[in-house]
Amino acid sequence: MAETTADTADTVREAAVEAALGKLDLDAKARLLAGQDMWSLPALPEIGLASLVMSDGPVGVRGVRWTADDPSVALPSPTALAASWDPDLARRAGRLLAQEARRKGVHVLLAPTVNLHRTPLGGRHFEAYSEDPYLTGAIGTGYVQGVQDGGVGTTVKHFVGNDAETDRFTVDNRIAPRPLRELYLAPFEAIVRNARPWGIMTAYNRVNGTTMTEHRRLVNEVLRGEWGFDGYNVSDWMAARSTKGGIDGGLDVAMPGPRTVYGEALAAAVRAGEVEESAVDTAVRNVLRLAARVGALDGAPAVVTETPEAVDGDALARETARRGFVLVRNEGRALPLAAGATVALSGAAARDARVLGGGSAQVFPEHVVSPLDGLTAALPDGALSYAVGADPSDELAPAEQGFALRAVCRDAAGNVLGEGSLPNGQVQWIGDDLPAGVTHDDLASVEVVGTFTPRESGEHAFGTRGLGAYTLTVAGRTLFAGVQAMGPETDPFEAFFGSPVERGKVALTAGETVEVSLLHTLDKEFAAPLPAVMFSFVHLGPRRDPDELIAEAVAAARAADTAVVVVATTERVESEGFDRKDLALPGRQDDLVRAVAAANPNTVVVVNAGSPVEMPWREDVAAILLGWFPGQEGGAALADVLTGAEEPGGRLPTTWPVALADAPVTEVTPTDGELHYAEGLFIGYRAWDKAGAVPAYPFGHGLGYTTWSYESLVATPESATVTLTNTGGRTGREVVQIYLAPTEDRVERPARWLAGFASVEAAAGETVEVTIELPRRAFEIWDEERNGWTLVPGAYEVLAAHSLADARLTAALEI
């Protein structure tokens, strides 16, 4: 009955779409496809079409204005979500984000990002899930299902091959047919087939010579033709380059509006006979279908009429964080902390946590629980001490702790147009993010004004980041009045998140408040390629001798039962717009860990990074917990796990190298505009296996607070059934991983690959059984000669494993 009802609703929606399409003239159709501003499509009242609103949303829904006045729940980074290996948790996260989207008037989320961790140098990998296409597809499917359960559309991105940031606007990624199908297209295919997303975003880059916004072969023939995708296809922002190329290549919407390659240019191309109006109709039909699904088209029933039960955002953010934490080392059972233990906490990131990656995925949470906050709340009075120890950055960063700031917007005559609050010194207004009453046409200057109450006495450095003219004043002194010119940056995000410039120092006293001001005068010479105001007021506190800071942390560690050191990357290391140069932790953090570990053998290191970092001290510490970018409740979740109130639930979604030099695939820089994926099928653990190399921690690795005995494995071509027992002393969760390994391979394939997985939970001493589907695709390859999928018969080993490198049971299987 439910299927019949759904089919009927689909029929009604399609009829409403066709009726609406029939009422539109060419100019209205072309205008709809161009977008009306940064985040929305125009309303067409003549057909009962409301304006469709889009928003970035991998970890939280920012809405159409980037403002702290409308805070967003901030979930852990997508890599942390993938580390849970739990599509059901991803679905719950999606439902929360749909709830947030509805609250903010958003119809479509520009997420999830399902590009692969091809190399550990990818600067935006925190926003993607995994190096493995199967795991990526499974988590992405859960996310899409959850968001669309709530009646909000998704836009799966970036289709396809946007696996690094270097020259992302222009790079031509040369990918052979087999790896393109088996690796890079595979997550998109799984999500399209299993979750029916309502949108796809095509990437900036080219693939095999054709820019993705014009890639008729991959969009119209593969995505729509082979896979049956019936949603809308939107360009990445500013990616559309050609009117005819875009519409003929299957691009429905060119963003951001209103001045794009569509709109008036598209209508003119039709009238000139360069473009068929039927192609425009197809694109409009896809957009109207999206509108019908989200309830924005009169006469069309929304797909979801009763929204799911309300989700507690704080609770889910906390659960997701701890479920994604990966305990990669726990010698001598250093964790969980012993009852009544004293703890010496150190690391600047323990006090000022980094909970989000940089770039378009950023949101403003209402609150952030740092590791220091979380442990202070969880431990008895007197049990916790804190020392800075080492700061991950000696650069100025957006003014935050101790600052109370607002932005005052003025026109050319100096009249105030409006004001907006700022959670920190970073102004990041794109499109209509401007404060109420302010327009880009009238805006001539922005002044960041407010007060600063320092936490430490001494010389404080102040400066600017971004292009253009500035006047910087602190405590009545003008530190700078001048212009910052363009450097070597080629990406707007790189310029914005690039090097801050110190403009002067002022001696200040802890607790004594001073007034601060940064006046930024706008200049068309430095205008961004889209309507935007992007600059930062930056600050750096007094620099104490690094050796003294480390010595303080060492003294505290020596006096405590357990030392916990939090190390981190910064937004200058991991962000949208540029790739990483190395995997080293910035600053003196490695020195801090070594010194603390030498003083206290019971040292626990928490790694606050979105993707792999080198840990040269990894054999010298008792425990290592990978915390990713853990979202707003990260500190509370960390306290849950360190104290043993909860178990760390994560398994590695990407291989963790000892050092960058060991990683088999590291190339992210194009040569003559081309980046050749010369490694073919062998990325991630597939490449490590082929090279015969051993990483620091293998794909799928992660420890808990209990132990498991794998009792039996029964494998058929359709499934693997595993029986296992919790042999520890407490309830726990295990991720059962199934790998396939051909015993005598007649074609080139990896030594083994992930074919399925499932989470099980059991009480101490309890035995459980789980059956994991083995998809036919796991036994197939893309046959380049036949241009299709081909089953590879023969003998396989089926491995039931705790991780890639820890197979517990094997079974022979003949296909």
Side-chain angles (χ1 to χ4, degrees), residues 24 95 181 236 313 325 336 342 404 406 425 459 534 602 652 673 699 728 760 782:
L24 293 176
R95 286 178 175 170
R181 288 284 188 159
D236 204 341
F325 287 157
T342 55
R406 68 187 191 280
E459 285 212 320
M534 300 172 73
N602 208 30
L652 281 178
F699 179 79
V760 297
W782 181 258

Side-chain angles (χ1 to χ4, degrees), residues 148 232 420 506:
Q148 293 182 179
Y232 88 119
V506 179

Side-chain angles (χ1 to χ4, degrees), residues 31-42:
R31 189 169 72 253
L32 175 64
L33 302 183
Q36 72 172 350
D37 53 29
M38 184 60 59
W39 305 114
S40 68
L41 304 185

